[in-house]
Amino acid sequence: KAGVTQTPRYLIKTRGQQVTLSCSPISGHRSVSWYQQTPGQGLQFLFEYFSETQRNKGNFPGRFSGRQFSNSRSEMNVSTLELGDSALYLCASSLAGRGPTSYGYTFGSGTRLTVV
Amino acid sequence: AQSVSQHNHHVILSEAASLELGCNYSYGGTVNLFWYVQYPGQHLQLLLKYFSGDPLVKGIKGFEAEFIKSKFSFNLRKPSVQWSDTAEYFCAVNPNAGNNRKLIWGLGTSLAVNP
């Protein structure tokens, strides 16, 4: 079955702009989580969505937001971009119910965001 | 604050050498533990996981990990590495074992295996 699909793969944005990233989970997976990955901080949890509801949220400012649609596809949005937002943004899906902490994640390849 | 430490940031081995990557976490309660691997140019993949029972868990590709509760450790091992094991390895911990749906990640260990 198809894996987790993230689009676009690469993005270059200017400081102050906003950006929307998309994630299509594996068919049947209803839990979608987002992570920011940087060399210095590693993987930092952004949020998790399950059945269109945010179930968990990390310690990121309100500029970072997300949503999930009825087909489990998810988007995350970053407004008023800062240079420090440059990172690899990873989406991970998991089976319904116990989610990533029981079944583990299936990750996408990520969206590389560069803010200039 | 809860954290996960991976002591070795970069490891270089020759083929057939034995591997042990350290992972320690700071949380006193029940945990679920994971090792993920990221091969060059590929996405993160689950290598193995521990929830309960036998503290020695076996994963894919000959990897295993041992949970030592008294040491708050979950070290990854492989008796004989191959060139194809060159990758980045991440340890992740779920505190509260399922009631808390977050994973806390180590910074990763980069493994290079020379042929």
Side-chain angles (χ1 to χ4, degrees), chain A residues 5 9 18-19 25 50 52 57 60 66 82 85 100 104 109 111:
Chain A
T5 304
R9 289 295 305 276
Q18 68 111 28
V19 67
F50 178 75
E52 303 178 65
K57 191 177 188 307
F60 278 80
E82 301 177 359
D85 297 332
S109 297
T111 294

Side-chain angles (χ1 to χ4, degrees), chain B:
Chain B
Q2 297 155 352
S3 64
V4 175
S5 297
Q6 291 184 241
H7 321 295
N8 318 100
H9 297 295
H10 300 282
V11 174
I12 301 174
L13 295 172
S14 298
E15 274 194 318
S18 64
L19 169 73
E20 180 159 3
L21 301 183
C23 173
N24 284 88
Y25 61 93
S26 62
Y27 181 73
T30 307
V31 292
N32 289 345
L33 301 157
F34 303 82
W35 275 97
Y36 280 82
V37 60
Q38 187 170 28
Y39 297 104
Q42 297 187 28
H43 56 269
L44 278 159
Q45 303 172 44
L46 181 64
L47 200 52
L48 48 78
K49 59 187 178 185
Y50 170 81
F51 292 159
S52 63
D54 189 345
L56 184 63
V57 292
K58 296 189 183 300
I60 60 173
K61 304 186 181 184
F63 285 91
E64 64 180 31
E66 184 176 13
F67 171 49
I68 302 180
K69 189 174 182 179
S70 61
K71 294 185 178 180
F72 301 93
S73 71
F74 189 55
N75 291 356
L76 181 70
R77 300 195 294 245
K78 186 170 183 178
S80 175
V81 294
Q82 300 172 307
W83 176 79
S84 57
D85 293 325
T86 294
E88 187 108 17
Y89 292 82
F90 294 89
C91 179
V93 175
N94 165 236
N96 280 343
N99 294 326
N100 178 339
R101 295 164 67 89
K102 296 181 187 178
L103 287 183
I104 301 170
W105 296 76
L107 291 180
T109 297
S110 175
L111 171 65
V113 180
N114 295 323

Side-chain angles (χ1 to χ4, degrees), chain A residues 1 9 21 26 29-31 35 45 47 50 52 57 68-69 89 93 102 105 111-112:
Chain A
K1 51 185 174 182
R9 289 295 305 276
L21 312 182
I26 288 178
H29 283 195
R30 292 166 59 194
S31 169
Y35 283 88
F45 174 77
F47 24 66
F50 178 75
E52 303 178 65
K57 191 177 188 307
Q68 187 180 33
F69 302 95
Y89 289 88
S93 74
S102 291
Y105 288 115
T111 294
R112 174 76 61 186

